[in-house]
Amino acid sequence: MPGRKITLALAIACVLLLSIKLPGLAAKGIPGSSEFGFGGQIHLAGINLTEALNTAGNLHLDWIAIDLAWNEYQPKPDQPPNLGLIDQVMQIASQQQLAVLVRLTNPPAWALTPKGPDSQRTAKWIVSLAQRYPGTLMAVEIYPGANTRAGWGAPVDPKSYYSLVSTVRNQLQAAKMPVIVVAGGLVPLGSSAAPGDMTDTAFLESFYQAAGKDQISVISLQINDPTGAPLAPSTNNEPRVLRRYEDLRQVMVKYQQGNNLLWITRLCPPSGKINPEDLKYTDASQQADWLTQAYSQIRSQLYIGVAIMGNINQPAANSPQFSLIQGTSSGYHPFYKSFRNQIAASRTFMSTPTGKSKNGIVIKKQVTANRP
């Protein structure tokens, strides 16, 4: 009889453990997941921050992305970082069951070397963030725009970047923090490429050559300001199109990285600055159509795990950038309805929602700072 009681107790304990929903374990679009992850970028110093977080929850987004300019939060190495605002955002994200991607940018001067950001100091900073926000901080994109001098902070160096990515990943593993390291944040370059920049495909080739047989689980691409319709093909003369992801995929396959994922960590419609024919996309309804087609197209690519829409809120008042929440009137962009419908359709066969509506959340204090 005692043996039966012990067996029964163990069985009950196993059932209870299996029924517990641990934060972050259900994140979509990660390595090993067959589901696509919808996301949106939130600007911490932008307008309508509270409403942006509410909107992410009400849409049932899988991810939110925030830019964290390291030099603003810890300008001196002996100065404790001021993370009060981020603490609040992370707490709300946890309540909303939103996985968070931190896009680490702008290392402070004390963490820079002539070849770029210091690997050990970067790794230590990321590990400290992972330990501060366990189960909510699910992924870190390391210095997005790594193929540009502006993103890397020095002349582009794929070998040094790989060394940094490897160091960060190893130290996260040593600290037993299951945070996904997202590499690259690659930017397709056109005629505006600056000295010291490198094309995204050339950078990725050199990065994989430095990595050797090491499998890099997630490479990321930014579609900051594309040109053309979503179906427009990438060419040597004009790589700044949505389908640039196909060219990066070819490089991944070439270097035996085909089982790994590509994330689009910033997705915006054309601004009209590249080609006069794109000026039609300054119309909100045209933007909505472009994004609707873009998301449908992206989701059909099984190697793309996550696509982060930029932006949920505007980075500043009267910003010309696309955003889901428009201006200070709290009106929504026409894409809101289509975005909501696409997310809902992807959740049709799910019994448990990834996010949940949390009305009335409030950010107590916002830090006003100029972010790049």
Side-chain angles (χ1 to χ4, degrees):
M1 183 66 71
R4 288 185 179 180
K5 289 182 177 179
I6 293 173
T7 301
L8 179 60
L10 288 173
I12 293 172
C14 289
V15 171
L16 288 173
L17 283 172
L18 289 172
S19 66
I20 295 172
K21 184 171 183 180
L22 297 176
L25 292 183
K28 294 184 182 180
I30 66 176
S33 169
S34 61
E35 296 179 300
F36 179 80
F38 289 88
Q41 182 171 357
I42 288 179
H43 294 277
L44 299 179
I47 62 175
N48 298 318
L49 175 56
T50 296
E51 186 176 356
L53 289 163
N54 276 318
T55 298
N58 292 332
L59 281 170
H60 300 293
L61 287 178
D62 306 299
W63 291 85
I64 60 171
I66 59 174
D67 284 356
L68 195 157
W70 185 5
N71 61 352
E72 295 181 10
Y73 292 92
Q74 196 177 24
K76 298 180 180 179
D78 56 349
Q79 176 182 338
N82 179 15
L83 297 173
L85 178 60
I86 297 178
D87 287 345
Q88 294 181 56
V89 170
M90 288 292 188
Q91 181 179 8
I92 292 167
S94 178
Q95 293 169 355
Q96 301 275 25
Q97 298 178 0
L98 296 163
V100 177
L101 164 68
V102 163
R103 294 160 44 90
L104 183 63
T105 68
N106 296 57
W110 55 268
L112 273 173
T113 74
K115 291 187 176 181
D118 182 271
S119 296
Q120 294 294 331
R121 289 178 172 176
T122 297
K124 182 178 179 181
W125 171 242
I126 291 175
V127 169
S128 70
L129 292 173
Q131 292 172 335
R132 190 180 183 101
Y133 310 115
T136 301
L137 174 53
M138 292 294 295
V140 175
E141 186 176 36
I142 304 177
Y143 302 124
N147 64 309
T148 67
R149 182 166 187 155
W152 181 235
V156 173
D157 185 347
K159 184 176 180 179
S160 294
Y161 184 73
Y162 166 72
S163 177
L164 185 148
V165 167
S166 179
T167 299
V168 171
R169 186 183 57 186
N170 291 342
Q171 293 202 17
L172 282 168
Q173 291 175 351
K176 298 181 178 180
M177 300 306 302
V179 174
I180 299 165
V181 174
V182 180
L186 301 175
V187 179
L189 299 177
S191 58
S192 60
D197 291 352
M198 183 182 292
T199 67
D200 49 354
T201 50
F203 179 93
L204 188 57
E205 290 223 24
S206 297
F207 177 81
Y208 281 148
Q209 289 166 6
K213 294 183 178 180
D214 185 12
Q215 292 292 307
I216 311 301
S217 61
V218 181
I219 296 295
S220 56
L221 167 68
Q222 298 185 78
I223 307 294
N224 291 316
D225 187 8
T227 181
L231 284 172
S234 173
T235 66
N236 290 333
N237 292 330
E238 188 48 82
R240 293 170 294 179
V241 295
L242 176 63
R243 288 176 59 188
R244 184 61 170 177
Y245 58 71
E246 295 175 344
D247 298 332
L248 295 182
R249 177 63 176 176
Q250 290 177 10
V251 176
M252 294 173 71
V253 171
K254 177 182 177 180
Y255 286 90
Q256 292 77 52
Q257 301 273 343
N259 291 328
N260 297 310
L261 291 174
L262 179 67
W263 285 13
I264 296 178
T265 51
R266 184 165 166 79
L267 176 63
C268 295
S271 68
K273 296 179 181 178
I274 296 176
N275 191 323
E277 294 181 4
D278 295 330
L279 288 173
K280 63 183 179 182
Y281 295 117
T282 58
D283 176 75
S285 62
Q286 291 283 345
Q287 291 176 343
D289 290 344
W290 192 96
L291 286 166
T292 298
Q293 183 177 346
Y295 262 99
S296 297
Q297 190 171 309
I298 289 167
R299 290 178 60 202
S300 69
Q301 312 302 319
L302 299 182
Y303 56 88
I304 300 181
V306 174
I308 305 290
M309 181 205 65
N311 311 290
I312 296 181
N313 62 329
Q314 290 184 346
N318 301 317
S319 171
Q321 294 189 36
F322 162 87
S323 65
L324 206 58
I325 301 173
Q326 297 187 298
T328 58
S329 62
S330 300
Y332 284 108
H333 190 279
F335 179 59
Y336 177 91
K337 183 177 180 180
S338 174
F339 199 34
R340 181 188 61 195
N341 291 340
Q342 288 200 40
I343 296 168
S346 74
R347 293 161 47 85
T348 300
F349 300 104
M350 292 181 62
S351 58
T352 304
T354 305
K356 59 184 179 180
S357 174
K358 274 286 199 179
N359 295 322
I361 58 176
V362 175
I363 296 293
K364 295 180 180 179
K365 183 179 181 180
Q366 297 187 28
V367 176
T368 58
N370 295 322
R371 300 199 194 292

